[in-house]
Amino acid sequence: MVGPAVKREAVAHLRARLGLSERRACQIVGADRKMIRYRSARPPETRLRQRLRDLANERRRFGYRRLFVLLRREGEPSGINRIYRLYREEGLTVRKRRARRKAVGTRAPILVEARPNARWSLDFVHDQLASGRRFRILNVVDDVTRECLAAIPDTSISGRRVARELAALIERRGKPGMIVSDNGTELTSNAILTFVTAQGIEWHYIAPGKPMQNGFVESFNGRMRDELLNETMFRNMPHARAVIRAWAADYNEERPHSALGYQTPKAFAERLITATDTRAAPSESSARMPVAPPAPIGVSTRRALVPDG
């Protein structure tokens, strides 16, 4: 028993069940009588507690740090220590998922210019409808701004479909400097090879069996799995498309991202664009930064480097 609240409960239990005096109960527990008699003068903070519970129920996989950022956006002046105390007292701690094994070994960073569209990553994630029918989602992520550029669910997504979706995305957003993916059959098909040649885009395939080399989209897949797919029962494909579209918009525009200093990906991208437009003098932090997951020893990184200029 190390906390004052626990010791108060122990003293109360000894006095109620065994009829001991307060002095004797405090000696057994090892507590000071002044501490046992102390009553907190803190205000109940009912409104803040209720808002914190509402946000935690709305975003069940958010921890206290992201909830603190959301409260700050609403004008809440409380510091993070108070929010953490209320978060613990309300029993809102997020249940931790089983940790995955981490890769070991020396790694070399892959450098990418700190600007939007410097590099995209794409991958598939799978789920199923309420009827049991399985479907897949094509996720495309900007590695620098962490934006979800596309989250396309369907029961079947071929290489031709991937090429069409990428062409539409390029027409809307611009051509990326590089695209990174694994070696799935859809992404190594003739349709993709023809698309890459026609668009003049450098396409980098990670080493087989090394998903950590495509870490940005893998991390995004994990967030989608944890915050959306594991929390939602999809009735049918139209329902899945609507829910995933809304979640992707919220991910880009509302969800604080810890790797971006708890900014939203959209706000971070706008800041980078503004810095580029004003032609500010490049600094060590903004000119080039390692935004890609390092590659294990023995994996060539030449194709994944962006040329200077």
Side-chain angles (χ1 to χ4, degrees), residues 47 51 55 58 68-77:
R47 185 194 63 82
R51 184 55 185 155
L55 285 175
E58 180 182 348
F68 167 73
V69 172
L70 297 181
L71 288 171
R72 271 296 171 88
R73 289 181 187 172
E74 298 177 357
E76 174 57 46

Side-chain angles (χ1 to χ4, degrees), residues 28-39:
I28 295 174
V29 174
D32 188 270
R33 295 178 69 186
K34 292 182 180 180
M35 183 267 289
I36 295 299
R37 294 178 179 181
Y38 173 79
R39 295 296 177 266

Side-chain angles (χ1 to χ4, degrees), residues 195-249:
F195 167 79
V196 171
T197 302
Q199 292 286 342
I201 299 175
E202 184 177 2
W203 194 294
H204 176 75
Y205 291 101
I206 65 174
K210 300 292 183 180
M212 70 287 294
Q213 295 180 19
N214 202 13
F216 289 103
V217 72
E218 293 289 348
S219 176
F220 175 81
N221 290 347
R223 300 286 75 76
M224 173 180 278
R225 174 73 62 190
D226 188 41
E227 299 174 11
L228 175 66
L229 303 183
N230 288 347
E231 301 290 324
T232 309
M233 178 66 74
F234 300 107
R235 298 190 299 270
N236 46 45
M237 281 308 303
H239 177 239
R241 292 189 180 99
V243 172
I244 292 172
R245 186 185 310 112
W247 183 86

Side-chain angles (χ1 to χ4, degrees), residues 95-199:
R95 180 177 63 86
K96 293 184 179 179
R97 313 261 187 206
R98 186 176 63 179
R100 299 178 60 184
R101 288 181 9 182
K102 296 181 179 180
V104 295
T106 306
R107 301 178 177 183
I110 303 175
L111 300 181
V112 177
E113 187 177 356
R115 62 176 178 81
N117 286 352
R119 195 176 77 177
W120 295 355
S121 296
L122 66 158
D123 195 14
F124 292 96
V125 63
H126 298 77
D127 203 70
Q128 64 181 14
L129 305 174
S131 62
R133 186 177 185 183
R134 299 192 62 82
F135 68 95
R136 59 197 327 210
I137 307 169
L138 172 63
N139 288 329
V140 184
V141 176
D142 189 308
D143 289 356
V144 176
T145 66
R146 309 299 205 273
E147 291 175 282
C148 172
L149 306 182
I152 305 160
D154 211 333
T155 54
S156 177
I157 301 179
S158 64
R160 292 183 179 180
R161 174 73 180 279
V162 173
R164 290 199 305 269
E165 297 293 348
L166 288 177
L169 186 58
I170 290 172
E171 183 177 356
R172 182 172 70 252
R173 184 180 172 91
K175 186 182 298 186
M178 179 186 298
I179 296 179
V180 180
S181 74
D182 59 20
N183 297 270
T185 55
E186 302 87 355
L187 306 177
T188 56
S189 62
N190 289 331
I192 292 296
L193 298 178
T194 303
F195 167 79
V196 171
T197 302
Q199 292 286 342

Side-chain angles (χ1 to χ4, degrees), residues 8 10 18-19 24-25 51 119 174 203 205 243 248 262 266-267 308:
R8 291 191 192 100
L18 302 180
R24 179 57 178 160
R51 184 55 185 155
R119 195 176 77 177
W203 194 294
Y205 291 101
V243 172
Y262 289 98
K266 181 179 179 181
D308 292 335

